[in-house]
Amino acid sequence: MEVDSIGYVAAALTTMSFFPQAIKTLRTDDTRSISLSMYFLFTIGVAIWAVFGLLSGNGPVILANGFTLIPASFVLQKKIRHRLLGGEH
């Protein structure tokens, strides 16, 4: 088994783990149980990892972080919007 194959499997599993939370958040519009500071730091970290992957040409890092950035950004955007509107949903 090629080493990158292990990375791609890990990338697929960790990336898929974020989609259920994002889907639940989009469906219910409820962000009360989500920590804004945690999701902000996490999303920025994922974006930086994606840039690192692009600059280093590391396929699994690009894949995992590029795709994880999508649901993480949706959840973070909703959380920020709810916080700015003055009430958590």
Side-chain angles (χ1 to χ4, degrees), residues 47-60:
I48 293 170
W49 271 115
V51 170
F52 171 80
L54 288 169
L55 295 175
S56 66
N58 188 313

Side-chain angles (χ1 to χ4, degrees), residues 1-88:
M1 178 181 248
E2 189 178 322
V3 173
D4 275 353
S5 298
I6 296 168
Y8 283 112
V9 169
L13 293 172
T14 57
T15 298
M16 287 187 305
S17 73
F18 285 93
F19 280 90
Q21 181 66 57
I23 291 167
K24 180 180 178 186
T25 301
L26 291 172
R27 284 185 180 158
T28 65
D29 201 39
D30 183 3
T31 61
R32 288 175 292 189
S33 64
I34 297 170
S35 166
L36 177 58
S37 58
M38 178 271 177
Y39 247 85
F40 177 76
L41 293 171
F42 175 76
T43 304
I44 296 301
V46 167
I48 293 170
W49 271 115
V51 170
F52 171 80
L54 288 169
L55 295 175
S56 66
N58 188 313
V61 173
I62 295 166
L63 180 70
N65 293 286
F67 281 118
T68 300
L69 191 57
I70 296 166
S73 295
F74 278 116
V75 172
L76 179 62
Q77 176 271 133
K78 273 204 170 293
K79 181 66 176 182
I80 290 171
R81 186 169 51 90
H82 289 163
R83 180 70 58 92
L84 291 175
L85 291 175
E88 296 286 332

